[in-house]
Amino acid sequence: MILDKHNPKELINNSTYSKELKAIATKVFNDERISFEEGVLLYKEAELGFLGTLANYVREKKNGNYVYFNHNFHVEPTNVCVYSCSFCSYSRLIKNRDQGWELSIEQIMDIIKKYDDKAVTEVHITGGVVPKQDLAFYTDLFREIKKHRPDLHIKALTPVEFHYIFKKAKLSYEDGLKLMTEAGLDSLPGGGAEIFDEAIRDKIAGGKCSTDEWLSIHEIWHNMGKYSNATMLYGHIETFEHRIDHMDRLRKLQDKTNGFNAFIPLKFRNKENEMSHVPEVSVIEDLRNYAISRIYLDNFPHIKAYWAMIGRNTAQLSLNFGTDDLDGTIDDTTKIYSMAGSEEQNPKLTTQELVDLIKTVGRTPVERDTLYNVVKEFAS
Ligand code: V47
Ligand code: SF4
């Protein structure tokens, strides 16, 4: 059945939906929070049209017709890693380090300097974990970047890297994060979250920071008055209950700190990794997942469709299923997703391409900075 876009409450009078689904719709339209069990029910029973209508309602209430993007680029200091997550197509084990790259501070500064005459606002720095890239390496790097370009927002490292680096330096998370901030770190990206259920996490990402450690580092960071994102790796061996459990732990932390800006679902891509036998989920499932995350995470301001991972076409479609952010221009500076099999083998979009992509679905493009301050609104 085609629903009237302007009257989403039709869902409640529609006889094709069960009374349980209608009860969820009523809650959402009354701005009430849905429960864990209701979240799982949405995954198990709700079809895409129903989810899209609810998610779009929440999305437009929070962000109107706006779709955000930024001018950014990535630096991946190394693809060598002491860990061996089974979903990772990108890293090379430390014993095979001759097959990978490990950049020096000078080499990274050469990349940063390439953007001297470009209007980028953010550098996103993350990669593998190696002993050499330690506390001194990153604090020196952040100082160098800020000395060269004080206006560039440094969004860098995840609890996976922090946990390893601070343990090696015999520092508490609080003291370590304070030193990183003093050196120039501005925000944390959402990586390393994978899936919080301990048993699944152990199977696919054993050995790296635990769920509690991931959440604790973000909590400490938020308590320092800073902001971060959160991801969820979905579509592998997890169940729907595990996805809601993941979002539930984030929703609880956000209730305490209000420090998360965006939630970023990351679709498991299966090219050339130890989980290549696990099939990828469908685009319909991607859209359902975006929609349910928009409905469940009622205290997250933004849901990001990371186009370099999901592909620009699905990212564009998702703008009617709860998402309001597309990440940025990227400029072909990340390899994590192309190596894992994304349709975007050289991720790079110009401002005009992003603006056109957003306008095609009738939304209003807004260039933002990392903290969602408006840089420029593009009239629709
Ligand atoms: O933590 C690695 C994921 C993440 C695969 O905060 C994979 O703005 C799918 O966190 N299939 C790193 N996913 C990327 C990340 C990120 C990206 C864009 C924006 C932001 C932000 C954060 O990439 C890892 C892991 O979950 N990943 N391999 C794979 N085969
Ligand atoms: Fe290392 Fe990150 Fe890859 Fe895991 S996902 S092996 S921590 S680079």
Side-chain angles (χ1 to χ4, degrees):
M1 157 156 199
I2 298 175
L3 290 159
D4 177 355
K5 183 174 180 255
H6 303 290
N7 185 14
K9 296 187 186 184
E10 261 185 42
L11 282 188
I12 295 163
N13 303 321
N14 184 331
S15 60
T16 55
Y17 298 121
S18 68
K19 73 174 188 319
E20 289 79 12
L21 286 180
K22 284 185 194 177
I24 297 176
T26 306
K27 271 191 168 181
V28 173
F29 294 136
N30 288 331
D31 304 334
E32 284 170 40
R33 176 166 278 191
I34 68 164
S35 68
F36 185 99
E37 292 70 26
E38 288 167 331
V40 173
L41 190 80
L42 287 180
Y43 272 119
K44 290 190 173 160
E45 289 187 12
E47 50 87 21
L48 184 60
F50 178 91
L51 292 171
T53 306
L54 288 191
N56 207 42
Y57 172 82
V58 179
R59 176 248 193 268
E60 291 189 355
K61 201 168 54 108
K62 284 187 184 291
N63 292 297
N65 204 34
Y66 293 132
V67 176
Y68 298 93
F69 68 92
N70 72 350
H71 274 181
N72 63 348
F73 65 103
H74 290 234
V75 171
E76 294 174 349
T78 181
N79 71 338
V80 179
C81 194
V82 297
Y83 302 116
S84 48
C85 303
S86 45
F87 56 82
C88 185
S89 316
Y90 159 87
S91 69
R92 297 292 170 265
L93 271 175
I94 206 140
K95 62 177 189 246
N96 300 326
R97 64 189 337 155
D98 50 312
Q99 297 166 13
W101 68 83
E102 276 177 79
L103 303 181
S104 65
I105 291 183
E106 292 66 35
Q107 287 170 311
I108 296 176
M109 286 311 296
D110 287 342
I111 300 175
I112 304 277
K113 286 173 189 167
K114 280 198 212 149
Y115 291 88
D116 278 357
D117 59 348
K118 306 234 165 69
V120 290
T121 55
E122 172 192 286
V123 56
H124 179 157
I125 308 176
T126 191
V129 178
V130 284
K132 221 163 69 184
Q133 294 179 351
D134 58 5
L135 184 75
F137 176 88
Y138 277 111
T139 48
D140 287 351
L141 173 65
F142 296 160
R143 270 194 205 91
E144 284 293 311
I145 295 173
K146 286 292 180 183
K147 196 165 79 187
H148 182 72
R149 191 158 176 183
D151 60 308
L152 193 61
H153 188 106
I154 303 180
K155 184 177 83 175
L157 307 183
T158 72
V160 177
E161 288 129 324
F162 289 128
H163 175 76
Y164 179 89
I165 291 170
F166 298 159
K167 197 166 168 209
K168 191 160 168 274
K170 298 191 171 49
L171 281 174
S172 67
Y173 293 156
E174 284 84 352
D175 291 345
L177 288 172
K178 194 160 170 280
L179 290 176
M180 291 283 189
T181 313
E182 283 163 4
L185 178 66
D186 293 302
S187 288
L188 306 191
E194 321 315 357
I195 199 87
F196 288 149
D197 176 83
E198 281 78 2
I200 303 289
R201 188 178 184 80
D202 197 45
K203 275 195 191 144
I204 65 168
K208 70 185 192 187
C209 81
S210 69
T211 295
D212 287 346
E213 287 159 351
W214 192 99
L215 291 166
S216 163
I217 287 176
H218 280 262
E219 182 168 359
I220 292 164
W221 182 249
H222 296 168
N223 288 338
M224 290 165 66
K226 305 283 189 181
Y227 292 90
S228 66
N229 293 332
T231 58
M232 174 177 77
L233 180 70
Y234 71 95
H236 43 91
I237 57 167
E238 87 292 358
T239 62
F240 293 144
E241 282 82 358
H242 293 142
R243 292 193 207 169
I244 292 291
D245 167 65
H246 189 94
M247 290 189 237
D248 200 59
R249 299 194 205 204
L250 291 171
R251 195 169 77 172
K252 288 193 173 107
L253 179 53
Q254 180 76 332
D255 277 343
K256 274 167 87 177
T257 64
N258 211 23
F260 288 115
N261 272 329
F263 178 65
I264 312 161
L266 295 173
K267 174 189 186 139
F268 165 66
R269 311 302 312 242
N270 69 2
K271 190 176 162 202
E272 286 171 19
N273 56 47
E274 280 172 37
M275 287 167 69
S276 290
H277 57 285
V278 177
E280 292 181 1
V281 296
S282 67
V283 171
I284 300 290
E285 188 54 25
D286 296 328
L287 297 176
R288 294 179 77 246
N289 189 66
Y290 281 124
I292 295 171
S293 57
R294 180 59 290 173
I295 296 163
Y296 200 80
L297 291 171
D298 58 352
N299 54 4
F300 271 61
H302 304 285
I303 305 289
K304 183 189 282 192
Y306 182 45
W307 68 268
M309 172 276 295
I310 199 83
R312 66 191 74 181
N313 295 334
T314 306
Q316 187 184 35
L317 256 181
S318 78
L319 297 175
N320 281 325
F321 293 87
T323 68
D324 64 280
D325 190 290
L326 289 178
D327 198 78
T329 45
I330 303 177
D331 200 28
D332 196 13
T333 47
T334 173
K335 288 274 158 273
I336 298 178
Y337 284 100
S338 49
M339 288 169 87
S342 164
E343 32 289 274
E344 302 290 348
Q345 283 300 296
N346 297 95
K348 179 185 174 107
L349 282 175
T350 62
T351 303
Q352 195 55 49
E353 285 169 327
L354 275 162
V355 165
D356 290 347
L357 196 146
I358 296 164
K359 283 190 175 175
T360 305
V361 295
R363 302 273 191 206
T364 308
V366 175
E367 187 195 335
R368 58 160 177 88
D369 67 12
T370 309
L371 302 178
Y372 290 83
N373 298 303
V374 174
V375 176
K376 182 173 175 186
E377 181 175 331
F378 296 79
S380 32

